[in-house]
């Protein structure tokens, strides 16, 4: 008989009731008292310094935890970080919450060490991998070491310039996007009649449409299948994908209260995602290597999934990498486009300058080429400025290996698996990140013009991460964003802002996996008047 069975047979209900609370109390004491005390002893024996900390009025830092939760529920994480930096009186500090020591930093030197110069000392870590494994599996976004390296080698060839510069997949969905804008929202079926002229000036949540557009483009590019979320008001896969990300974000930030996060919607949503992706994986694996090679030569119907299957026939590898790239391919572009329209609607002069450049380079109707997109400096400035203010992943976490890490000229003492939170959004908005000059707008203001005469110093602008983990799909995302903006402002010459009554033009930053506008982006777009058949 096994040990478990022996215990069950010999432990009475009464003894469980008596011992149970004691065991729970002992566990709590271990987490809150014993382990922190042991860590403090080990830290005292290490060389280096301690970072500034936040005074706590309640035992175990529970007041800090409560404040963090309140701020997160109100989507005020940026304000919370600024408050922490003001207490630290600098860009780096530490605090112990429920027995767990954490480091917080927005210092470029620290971020450089984490991402580049001491890259091997920092990884995703086992806790992150375990938390995200049901969703991302062993993909590039959830692994370290050889698993991460193998993933990167597998994906790198799929983002070569020839594939990134193929703009057909973007154009094939633009006309549907135009119809959805005129409709004021997603179409009710592909064949829904829409009066394009009647849609002029109609208020629409452009954020919702961008998420639908990028999902359609991503599934088309990856799988060769358009999921048609622009013409399906309630798309089951899109809803499930968003819900899984919402719960994953809670789990990542929950720390010691992670076991209490409800997951009632998580697993059913995960099942929807797996059923959808595995359908196409299985269909592709039914092709022989010869058939895959034939598709590659013909190029017609050849997809990202076909290319991956040419390197591996492992069903789980294909599923994991597809979900990871789908996550990046949809959300990165949709969030940045949404924030771009949010800011352009508040800055009509920027719309005029952007449209003037587009018309001078591409004209009113011609489909832009890859070289056209790269040549438009103001367009690039608009995207750079949006990513400066609204980096796609504003807050990140890393656990270190044992050792010491830099804090300016003095290392901070760190034990293995001490969570380090760093904030690109705080770093990129620091008052000293741009020169104090009358020619520069304040750092908090949207000003594409600053990029004509200013370039951020190394490691002070990292919208696509940095170091060995720099985003492989960076050029793909920038190309898609530039393409959409170009096509939009070939057609429209005015964007009206309808967010004043929603957020008072003080944007709420919804930081789950990516940084989204909390209240959507309500705008109205106006077509340019046509002269001699041209806009």
């Amino acid at each position: 008989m096994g040990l478990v069975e022996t215990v069950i047979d010999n432990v009475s209900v009464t003894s469980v009731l008596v011992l149970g609370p004691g065991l729970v109390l002992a566990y709590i004491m271990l987490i809150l008292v014993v382990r922190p005390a042991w860590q403090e002893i080990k830290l005292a024996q290490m060389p280096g310094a301690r970072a500034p900390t936040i005074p706590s009025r309640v035992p175990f830092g529970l007041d800090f935890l409560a404040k963090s939760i309140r701020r997160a529920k109100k989507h005020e994480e940026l304000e919370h970080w600024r408050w922490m930096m003001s207490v630290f009186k600098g860009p780096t500090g530490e605090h112990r919450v429920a027995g767990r020591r954490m480091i917080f930093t927005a210092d470029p030197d620290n971020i450089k060490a984490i991402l580049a110069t001491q890259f091997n000392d920092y990884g995703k870590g086992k806790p992150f991998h375990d938390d995200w494994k049901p969703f991302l599996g062993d993909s590039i976004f959830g692994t370290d070491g050889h698993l991460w390296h193998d993933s990167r080698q597998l994906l790198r060839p799929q983002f070569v310039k020839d594939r990134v510069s193929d703009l057909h997949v973007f154009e094939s969905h633009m006309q549907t996007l135009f119809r959805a804008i005129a409709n004021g929202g997603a179409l009710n079926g592909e064949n829904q009649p829409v009066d394009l002229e009647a849609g002029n000036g109609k208020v629409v949540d452009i954020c919702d449409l961008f998420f639908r557009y990028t999902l359609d483009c991503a599934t088309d590019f990856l799988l060769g299948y358009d999921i048609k979320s622009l013409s399906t008001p309630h798309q089951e896969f899109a809803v499930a994908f968003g819900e899984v990300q919402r719960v994953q974000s809670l789990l990542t930030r929950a720390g010691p209260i992670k076991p209490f996060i409800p997951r009632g919607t998580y697993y059913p949503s995960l099942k929807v995602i797996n059923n959808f992706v595995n359908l196409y994986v299985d269909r592709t694996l039914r092709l022989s290597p010869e058939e895959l090679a034939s598709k590659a030569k013909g190029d017609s119907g050849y997809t990202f999934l076909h290319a991956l299957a040419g390197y591996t026939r492992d069903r789980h590898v294909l599923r994991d990498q597809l979900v990871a790239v789908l996550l990046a391919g949809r959300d990165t572009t949709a969030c940045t486009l949404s924030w771009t329209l949010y800011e352009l609607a508040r800055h009509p002069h920027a719309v005029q300058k952007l449209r003037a450049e587009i018309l001078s380079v591409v004209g009113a109707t011609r489909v832009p080429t890859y070289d056209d997109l790269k040549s438009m400096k103001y367009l690039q400035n608009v995207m750079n400025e949006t990513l400066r203010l609204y980096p796609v992943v504003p807050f990140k976490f890393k656990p270190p290996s044992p050792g010491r890490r830099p804090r300016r000229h003095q290392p901070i003492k760190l034990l293995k698996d001490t969570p380090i939170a760093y904030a690109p959004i705080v770093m990129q908005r620091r008052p000293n990140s741009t020169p104090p000059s009358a020619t520069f707008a304040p750092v908090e203001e949207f000003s594409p013009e600053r990029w004509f005469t200013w370039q951020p110093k190394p490691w002070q602008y990292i919208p696509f991460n940095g170091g060995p983990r720099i985003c492989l799909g960076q050029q793909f995302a920038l190309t898609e964003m530039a393409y959409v903006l170009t096509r939009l402002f070939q057609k429209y010459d005015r964007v009206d802002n309808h967010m004043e009554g929603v957020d008072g033009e003080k944007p709420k930053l919804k930081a789950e996996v990516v940084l989204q506008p909390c209240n959507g982006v309500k705008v109205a777009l106006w077509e340019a008047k046509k002269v001699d058949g041209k806009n």
Side-chain angles (χ1 to χ4, degrees):
M1 183 180 290
L3 177 61
V4 174
E5 289 84 349
T6 302
V7 171
I8 290 173
D9 286 347
N10 290 279
V11 174
S12 67
V13 173
T14 302
S15 63
V16 169
L17 292 175
V18 171
L19 294 174
L23 292 173
V24 171
L25 181 60
Y27 178 75
I28 292 173
M29 290 295 291
L30 173 67
I31 297 299
L32 298 182
V33 179
V34 177
R35 188 167 65 182
W38 177 244
Q39 289 176 346
E40 290 297 328
I41 292 171
K42 292 173 71 175
L43 286 167
Q45 297 169 348
M46 293 176 65
R50 297 296 290 267
T53 189
I54 297 172
S56 197
R57 298 184 180 88
V58 178
F60 313 121
L62 296 181
D63 52 343
F64 178 86
L65 179 60
K67 186 183 184 79
S68 301
I69 292 171
R70 282 198 307 271
R71 283 292 181 92
K73 288 177 70 175
K74 294 179 180 179
H75 303 292
E76 295 176 349
E77 285 97 335
L78 178 57
E79 292 81 358
H80 187 58
W81 268 80
R82 284 177 172 154
W83 168 76
M84 288 194 297
M85 299 296 110
S86 70
V87 176
F88 296 147
K89 294 182 170 55
T92 303
E94 67 175 83
H95 196 59
R96 193 176 285 278
V97 183
R100 188 188 199 193
R101 181 176 179 242
M102 295 185 67
I103 306 294
F104 303 90
T105 187
D107 187 299
D109 289 337
N110 284 344
I111 293 173
K112 178 183 178 181
I114 292 167
L115 296 180
T117 57
Q118 295 173 253
F119 173 77
N120 291 329
D121 292 335
Y122 296 88
K124 295 292 185 177
K126 187 176 185 303
F128 182 93
H129 179 260
D130 291 346
D131 287 345
W132 285 80
K133 187 173 176 63
F135 181 35
L136 295 180
D138 291 327
S139 70
I140 189 170
F141 293 144
T143 53
D144 297 312
H146 74 90
L147 284 176
W148 167 77
H149 182 267
D150 291 349
S151 293
R152 198 165 178 89
Q153 294 302 109
L154 177 65
L155 294 176
R156 188 190 301 276
Q158 315 315 319
F159 291 102
V160 295
K161 182 182 175 183
D162 287 348
R163 288 185 67 83
V164 170
S165 60
D166 182 2
L167 308 179
H168 171 73
V169 70
F170 306 143
E171 179 61 27
S172 63
H173 299 284
M174 279 305 303
Q175 299 308 315
T176 310
L177 177 60
F178 287 142
R179 293 176 63 224
I181 290 171
N183 187 54
L187 304 172
N188 189 17
E190 284 184 278
N191 299 318
Q192 177 190 333
V194 177
D195 185 341
L196 295 177
E197 291 188 7
N200 223 17
K202 184 177 288 186
V203 178
V204 61
D205 182 0
I206 199 71
C207 178
D208 175 67
L209 293 187
F210 282 150
F211 270 85
R212 293 171 182 272
Y213 171 85
T214 55
L215 180 60
D216 290 352
C217 286
T219 54
D220 199 350
F221 175 71
L222 296 174
L223 309 172
Y225 174 78
D226 175 7
I227 202 170
K228 301 185 189 303
S229 64
L230 274 169
S231 52
T232 312
H234 181 84
Q235 216 296 327
E236 184 185 32
F237 176 80
V239 173
F241 206 72
E243 181 58 19
V244 167
Q245 289 184 65
R246 184 189 70 82
V247 178
Q248 287 286 179
S249 173
L250 292 174
L251 293 172
T252 300
R253 294 182 292 177
I257 63 171
K258 189 185 307 176
F260 303 103
I261 299 298
R263 307 186 197 191
T265 59
Y266 178 76
Y267 292 107
S269 297
L270 199 58
K271 184 177 180 181
V272 171
I273 294 171
N274 289 337
N275 287 345
F276 175 80
V277 173
N278 286 332
L279 173 70
Y280 293 92
V281 170
D282 291 341
R283 186 178 295 175
T284 297
L285 289 178
R286 284 197 289 269
L287 298 173
S288 67
E290 292 74 24
E291 289 172 313
L292 279 174
S294 176
K295 275 186 171 291
K297 290 176 183 176
D299 204 41
S300 177
Y302 189 63
T303 68
F304 187 96
L305 175 55
H306 291 141
L308 289 186
Y311 290 90
T312 178
R313 309 287 290 182
D314 188 311
R315 184 174 185 269
H316 296 293
V317 170
L318 293 174
R319 178 267 173 209
D320 293 348
Q321 303 299 351
L322 280 173
V323 170
V325 177
L326 186 58
L327 170 65
R330 182 188 80 148
D331 291 16
T332 299
T333 312
C335 288
T336 306
L337 284 172
S338 297
W339 286 118
T340 303
L341 266 288
Y342 185 98
E343 290 294 350
L344 288 175
R346 303 199 299 173
H347 296 85
H349 71 280
V351 174
Q352 293 168 10
K353 291 182 73 169
L354 178 59
R355 177 170 159 80
E357 180 181 65
I358 290 168
L359 294 182
S360 70
V361 174
V362 187
T365 58
R366 179 170 68 83
V367 174
T369 65
Y370 180 78
D371 289 337
D372 288 333
L373 300 178
K374 293 299 178 185
S375 72
M376 289 188 276
K377 182 62 177 173
Y378 195 73
L379 172 62
Q380 300 296 323
N381 289 354
V382 166
M383 295 190 298
N384 286 336
E385 181 69 351
T386 303
L387 287 165
R388 183 187 69 82
L389 287 171
Y390 308 103
V392 178
V393 184
F395 310 106
K396 304 181 183 183
F397 296 86
K398 290 274 189 179
S401 301
R404 299 174 293 131
R405 301 296 168 257
R407 172 180 167 249
R408 300 187 182 275
H409 302 293
Q410 190 177 36
I412 288 179
K413 303 177 181 184
L414 283 185
L415 298 174
K416 182 181 179 182
D417 292 333
T418 302
I420 299 176
Y422 63 101
I425 190 170
V426 177
M427 178 183 71
Q428 293 178 185
R429 292 184 179 211
R430 292 189 311 159
N432 62 353
S433 63
T434 60
S437 166
T439 61
F440 276 82
V443 71
E444 292 288 336
E445 288 187 16
F446 178 80
S447 176
E449 287 74 15
R450 79 173 81 241
W451 292 82
F452 282 121
T453 56
W454 169 80
Q455 286 294 319
K457 294 178 182 177
W459 295 98
Q460 293 192 4
Y461 175 72
I462 52 168
F464 291 96
N465 218 351
R469 282 191 185 266
I470 194 167
C471 177
L472 283 173
Q474 174 178 348
Q475 290 307 315
F476 183 88
L478 289 171
T479 301
E480 183 176 9
M481 286 184 263
Y483 190 91
V484 171
L485 291 171
T486 298
R487 296 296 278 147
L488 280 177
F489 291 105
Q490 284 179 297
K491 185 178 182 69
Y492 305 106
D493 66 353
R494 176 176 149 198
V495 187
D496 288 350
N497 177 25
H498 287 268
M499 293 300 294
E500 211 170 301
V502 179
D503 61 12
E505 295 194 65
K506 294 180 180 178
K508 285 284 187 181
L509 311 181
K510 183 180 179 182
E512 291 184 347
V513 177
V514 292
L515 185 66
Q516 302 179 40
C518 180
N519 300 302
V521 179
K522 313 296 193 302
V523 297
L525 293 136
W526 296 82
E527 280 197 59
K529 292 180 181 179
K530 295 182 180 180
V531 180
D532 297 328
K534 297 181 180 180
N535 287 3

